[in-house]
Amino acid sequence: MKTFISLILFLVAFGFNSQAQCGPTVLTPTPEAVLLCEGSDTLVTFAATGTCAGTYQYQVQIGTTVVQAWGSANSYLAAPIVSTLYTVKVRCSTCPAQIVTAEFIIEVSEEPTLSGNTFICSGETTSLLATTDTTAVTWWDSATAGNQLSTTNTYTTPPLTTNKTYWAQASASTSNSTTGSVLITECGTDGMNGGTGSEDYIEISNLYSTAINTTGWVVAVSDSYTNINSVNSVLWYLPSSFSPCSVVTKTDIVGSANYWGSNIFWNPNSNSWAIIIDNLGNVVDFIAWGWTGAQIAGLNTTINGFNITIGAQWSGNGCPSNCGVINGQMGSYSRTGNADNNVAADFICQVTSTNLVNAGLSCGWSASATCRYPIEIIVDTPPTASNPATQHYQCPADVPAPNVNVVIDEADDYTSIPIVTLVSSVSDGLTCPETITRTYKVADSCTNFVLVTQTIIVKDTIPPVFAATPVNITVQCSADIPAMTNLNWTDNCTGSGSVVGTDVSDGLSCPETIIRTWTYADNCGNSITTSQIIKVHDTTNPVADAMVDVQTIELPPADINELTGVSDNCSTPIVTHVSDVSDGGYCPEIVIRKYSVKDACDNEIFITQKFIIGDPVPNAAFLTSSTELSNMETHVDFTNITTGAASYVWNFGDNSPEETTFHANHDFPDTEGAGYIVKLIAFSPFGCSDTAKVVIQVIEETIYYVPNAFTPNGDELNQQFKPVIYSGIDVNNYEFYIYNRWGQLIFESHDVDFGWDGTYNGKLVKDDHFTWKIKFKSIYSDKKKEVFGGVSITR
């Protein structure tokens, strides 16, 4: 078992006949062991040797905990508070799998444990006791040098009035028994002094500075040059107490005091190994020569009842197998110093030094240190406390009673909880604001005290609050403005009440705006104002009853009194005549009379009345019993077929009196060649008239016939209107004309056989009465005669 060792995890050739490979071979921490005062630190540096084309990288651990990760820093600042064993590892950046480890230990001289009061009242003394488990303690008045106050671990101070620092000095030393190892230090394979020349030798060293309990530990050796798992049947049990810095040896010289007990099956240039196994089956140390790294890694055998394999206890090939006689003297595989990197480089081939600790091996270490630790005595000073925060309250009723708990940060360097008491509570007697000053006393157990004050300001800054303000409204009329009401208020300090408002008008109208305002101020002048906007704006039109249509013969003058039901929601409206607008018609003429009804806000409506001047023109028409009279018969009957008329006037065109009968008959003068225009004037009830006329001719006897009606309705009967000539007329001097009731020529013919088909401009005319005229010469006379008559179209 070993504590202060270096572990090499890479393959390196044996020093005296191998080639260097990539990676470190040796790692040395400096210092490897040191004694520190608790609370101080030390810098440990690392030096690595080997072959590295890149850079060396280091990692520091405490157990399995990494305290400094892999990096190029080749030092570590150690500051443990207890004694600590560190493991440092090194690798090369170009072959990081090859790792060498080493250990260093930092012993710590513990800080003394102090007993006694370090907090005292001013003028008091205190007795101090400083103790440690392992070191002596003395008292001093400075960190270095200075005066020694006590040669023992107790010291009583003089009366103190200010803080004072003393130093407890602990003198420590150590002889570290945990630094060392139990190692195979020599293996000889080719004879030794006192032998026959072929004896073998093995040496085990205890490099601890104290005895090691090795009860149950055994040393085993190989028993075959070809089978690495073959074990010599004899086991060497190490002593139960292995003396410090000593060696134990065995040889296969029969009869020797250190006889192994059988032949040790070793020989130069042959493969062999040796191993130390502790009482728990752990591999303590191992050496092999001749075997390859793969063969060593495959070792799997049973020793002392334990299954044994080689893990981290060896890396790479074994040492070269050619270590024998050197210059005529027995040679051994000898350990290089304390190196224990578990590689072939840990050993060199040199002359055997039997039964001696090899030169260069170190056993344990020792150190001493003197450490001073400051002890501060705190002399009680007056307690501290901050003035409580200023408090603001709205109303006197809100102010709480005095309360010592408002002092929240009272503290003392000696008394754990100072006592707080009320001294006074004083008002300045003012209002808005009133200031109250409360004084509290904070005292410690040494009767030291301070006074703190709390300022309380009472000032009502919150304005009163009105109940809901009436919503803004718009009314039509001044009479609609709601009556003034009081508005309720509440105040955080004053209580509650009500206040009357005021109305202010903008002096305008249509609209008029009235601001109704309520204002209240509390005892501290906090004021609140709220307003209601009342807009007086008549937007409602006046009203008036509708006027009935009037049908009359003539338009009467406008009269505003004709309007009825005229009224307004707010005022008396004004009625004016606006206009009379005619449609330009006749019988009837339509006149729209407009009146304006307007209130004081110019809300206006228009009332119209329709006047119907006259009525539709009647359709005057009549039939005659004859329109051509011979001088022998001049009596004619007239049949009235007028529509839409109420009265009639007949004018016979012969200066005879007019008649007003519905139908008429008349005897005309028998003057040959005379013509008379007979008119029927038909009047509507409101005086509109229409005239129908026909010409009555008194001629010499000519025989022809002119119908007074025809029916051009497409039924092939009575489709044309034309005179029927029997005799007495020159057909070559014949003219036939048709006129409408307005005297417009709508048809003419010069052919007695070509009559009127009832059309004008290609369209059938409507049923009506038409006037016809015939011009002809009698065959008996050169004088052309004109005959007039009427014809009606009826369908």
Side-chain angles (χ1 to χ4, degrees):
M1 179 179 185
K2 55 187 186 298
T3 303
F4 190 31
I5 63 174
S6 300
L7 176 61
I8 302 178
L9 299 178
F10 67 96
L11 176 62
V12 66
F14 199 70
F16 46 78
N17 66 348
S18 60
Q19 296 182 348
Q21 299 184 17
C22 176
T25 58
V26 177
L27 172 61
T28 303
T30 303
E32 294 183 274
V34 69
L35 177 63
L36 293 181
C37 299
E38 184 177 347
S40 61
D41 55 45
T42 187
L43 184 68
V44 180
T45 60
F46 315 123
T49 60
T51 301
C52 181
T55 58
Y56 284 120
Q57 299 172 333
Y58 303 88
Q59 178 170 281
V60 181
Q61 298 177 201
I62 300 175
T64 59
T65 301
V66 175
V67 295
Q68 181 170 292
W70 287 108
S72 60
N74 64 343
S75 63
Y76 175 69
L77 185 64
I81 60 174
V82 296
S83 296
T84 302
L85 179 65
Y86 294 85
T87 299
V88 59
K89 298 180 179 181
V90 65
R91 67 186 182 187
C92 181
S93 61
T94 56
C95 50
Q98 309 303 322
I99 298 174
V100 172
T101 65
E103 294 176 335
F104 61 92
I105 188 167
I106 308 298
E107 295 281 354
V108 177
S109 174
E110 65 174 315
E111 181 178 355
T113 301
L114 180 69
S115 299
N117 291 331
T118 56
F119 294 91
I120 62 174
C121 295
S122 179
E124 292 182 345
T125 66
T126 183
S127 295
L128 304 174
L129 172 64
T131 59
T132 68
D133 293 338
T134 59
T135 61
V137 179
T138 57
W139 288 92
W140 297 78
D141 63 358
S142 65
T144 59
N147 300 308
Q148 186 175 19
L149 302 176
S150 174
T151 59
T152 67
N153 62 351
T154 62
Y155 175 65
T156 300
T157 70
L160 300 176
T161 57
T162 60
N163 294 349
K164 180 69 175 177
T165 300
Y166 299 97
W167 280 264
Q169 176 176 293
S171 300
S173 62
T174 184
S175 176
N176 196 303
S177 62
T178 63
T179 304
S181 55
V182 175
L183 298 174
I184 302 169
T185 51
E186 287 194 40
C187 291
T189 65
D190 195 18
M192 60 176 292
N193 296 333
T196 62
S198 61
E199 292 81 6
D200 300 317
Y201 172 81
I202 182 169
E203 176 184 281
I204 308 299
S205 298
N206 174 16
L207 301 181
Y208 287 94
S209 60
T210 59
I212 298 300
N213 182 1
T214 54
T215 302
W217 292 27
V218 298
V219 179
V221 297
S222 61
D223 202 44
S224 171
Y225 300 139
T226 58
N227 181 7
I228 195 169
N229 289 318
S230 177
V231 182
N232 193 297
S233 60
V234 176
L235 299 178
W236 174 19
Y237 285 86
L238 295 179
S240 59
S241 178
F242 199 155
S243 299
C245 296
S246 65
V247 300
V248 291
T249 63
K250 287 291 183 180
T251 179
D252 58 359
I253 299 175
V254 178
S256 168
N258 295 332
Y259 178 54
W260 176 269
S262 67
N263 177 51
I264 297 176
F265 199 72
W266 292 349
N267 207 39
N269 298 309
S270 299
N271 302 336
S272 298
W273 53 259
I275 193 167
I276 304 174
I277 305 297
D278 69 11
N279 59 313
L280 299 177
N282 298 308
V283 176
V284 177
D285 198 19
F286 177 78
I287 180 176
W289 55 91
W291 302 103
T292 67
Q295 290 171 325
I296 295 170
L299 189 149
N300 189 339
T301 189
T302 300
I303 301 174
N304 200 25
F306 297 107
N307 178 251
I308 300 300
T309 58
I310 302 301
Q313 292 300 324
W314 193 267
S315 177
N317 295 331
C319 299
S321 62
N322 60 353
C323 184
V325 176
I326 301 173
N327 296 326
Q329 299 185 64
M330 181 183 72
S332 295
Y333 293 101
S334 299
R335 188 172 293 275
T336 302
N338 288 62
D340 187 20
N341 295 311
N342 299 322
V343 294
D346 290 345
F347 297 88
I348 62 174
C349 183
Q350 66 182 13
V351 176
T352 303
S353 59
T354 57
N355 299 318
L356 293 174
V357 175
N358 294 353
L361 293 177
S362 301
C363 295
W365 69 281
S366 63
S368 63
T370 299
C371 305
R372 288 187 183 180
Y373 300 95
I375 307 298
E376 184 179 15
I377 307 303
I378 304 299
V379 177
D380 185 26
T381 57
T384 60
S386 302
N387 291 329
T390 299
Q391 298 295 314
H392 296 265
Y393 296 97
Q394 293 291 318
C395 312
D398 298 338
V399 179
N403 185 353
V404 296
N405 292 325
V406 297
V407 182
I408 60 174
D409 63 348
E410 68 273 21
D412 187 65
D413 54 2
Y414 186 74
T415 304
S416 59
I417 302 178
I419 303 302
V420 181
T421 56
L422 175 69
V423 176
S424 63
S425 180
V426 180
S427 169
D428 64 358
L430 302 177
T431 60
C432 303
E434 173 190 11
T435 300
I436 300 172
T437 302
R438 287 179 177 171
T439 304
Y440 294 91
K441 178 180 180 181
V442 182
D444 64 14
S445 60
C446 288
T447 70
N448 299 313
F449 70 89
V450 293
L451 296 177
V452 295
T453 59
Q454 180 186 35
T455 300
I456 298 175
I457 298 174
V458 184
K459 183 178 181 181
D460 182 6
T461 60
I462 300 175
V465 177
F466 275 129
T469 305
V471 298
N472 296 339
I473 59 172
T474 298
V475 298
Q476 294 288 313
C477 312
S478 298
D480 299 334
I481 299 173
M484 176 65 71
T485 60
N486 287 0
L487 194 61
N488 293 332
W489 57 262
T490 58
D491 185 68
N492 59 318
C493 297
T494 308
S496 62
S498 64
V499 64
V500 69
T502 59
D503 284 346
V504 176
S505 170
D506 63 359
L508 303 177
S509 62
C510 302
E512 173 190 12
T513 300
I514 298 172
I515 306 298
R516 178 167 289 178
T517 304
W518 293 268
T519 300
Y520 175 73
D522 63 16
N523 293 338
C524 280
N526 299 303
S527 179
I528 183 172
T529 297
T530 188
S531 298
Q532 178 190 25
I533 298 175
I534 302 174
K535 183 176 288 187
V536 183
H537 191 189
D538 181 7
T539 59
T540 302
N541 291 330
V543 297
D545 292 349
M547 302 184 74
V548 299
D549 295 348
V550 175
Q551 190 167 25
T552 181
I553 295 177
E554 62 179 353
L555 182 68
D559 184 359
I560 62 175
N561 295 318
E562 291 292 327
L563 273 72
T564 60
V566 177
S567 64
D568 184 65
N569 59 322
C570 297
S571 61
T572 300
I574 297 175
V575 180
T576 58
H577 172 244
V578 177
S579 63
D580 288 339
V581 178
S582 171
D583 67 352
Y586 173 76
C587 289
E589 174 190 9
I590 304 300
V591 176
I592 304 300
R593 175 165 289 169
K594 182 188 292 185
Y595 293 96
S596 165
V597 182
K598 183 186 296 185
D599 64 15
C601 282
D602 290 336
N603 297 304
E604 185 177 19
I605 63 171
F606 294 97
I607 302 297
T608 60
Q609 186 176 25
K610 181 178 180 181
F611 287 92
I612 304 170
I613 311 300
D615 50 7
V617 175
N619 186 10
F622 63 93
L623 301 176
T624 64
S625 61
S626 177
T627 57
E628 281 192 354
L629 305 178
S630 71
N631 50 4
M632 295 179 293
E633 177 59 54
T634 60
H635 180 81
V636 179
D637 292 324
F638 299 97
T639 302
N640 191 343
I641 59 173
T642 300
T643 60
S647 60
Y648 310 91
V649 173
W650 291 93
N651 185 305
F652 299 106
D654 58 357
N655 296 320
S656 62
E658 293 180 336
E659 295 183 9
T660 59
T661 61
F662 182 74
H663 300 295
N665 55 70
H666 187 68
D667 291 319
F668 291 91
D670 60 359
T671 303
E672 182 181 343
Y676 307 96
I677 298 175
V678 178
K679 297 179 181 178
L680 172 62
I681 304 171
F683 295 92
S684 70
F686 289 92
C688 289
S689 64
D690 186 29
T691 300
K693 58 186 176 179
V694 68
V695 176
I696 302 297
Q697 284 288 114
V698 178
I699 60 174
E700 63 181 341
E701 188 68 26
T702 301
I703 301 173
Y704 59 90
Y705 169 70
V706 181
N708 61 7
F710 76 111
T711 59
N713 56 9
D715 61 358
E716 298 184 355
L717 298 176
N718 202 20
Q719 295 299 300
Q720 283 191 344
F721 170 68
K722 63 181 180 178
V724 179
I725 305 300
Y726 291 104
S727 65
I729 293 177
D730 183 358
V731 296
N732 295 316
N733 286 282
Y734 168 80
E735 297 173 32
F736 179 40
Y737 302 96
I738 303 295
Y739 302 89
N740 62 17
R741 66 172 57 244
W742 294 282
Q744 182 182 9
L745 177 66
I746 62 174
F747 176 78
E748 68 177 302
S749 176
H750 298 276
D751 184 347
V752 295
D753 295 321
F754 181 69
W756 181 41
D757 62 359
T759 64
Y760 177 66
N761 290 335
K763 294 182 180 180
L764 287 172
V765 299
K766 65 181 181 178
D767 291 1
D768 204 348
H769 188 73
F770 301 89
T771 300
W772 56 263
K773 179 173 76 172
I774 302 174
K775 282 185 169 184
F776 63 92
K777 284 183 178 181
S778 171
I779 60 173
Y780 304 109
S781 172
D782 292 331
K783 183 179 179 180
K784 184 173 277 192
K785 301 175 69 174
E786 289 186 359
V787 180
F788 295 88
V791 63
S792 294
I793 294 178
T794 59
R795 297 180 178 89

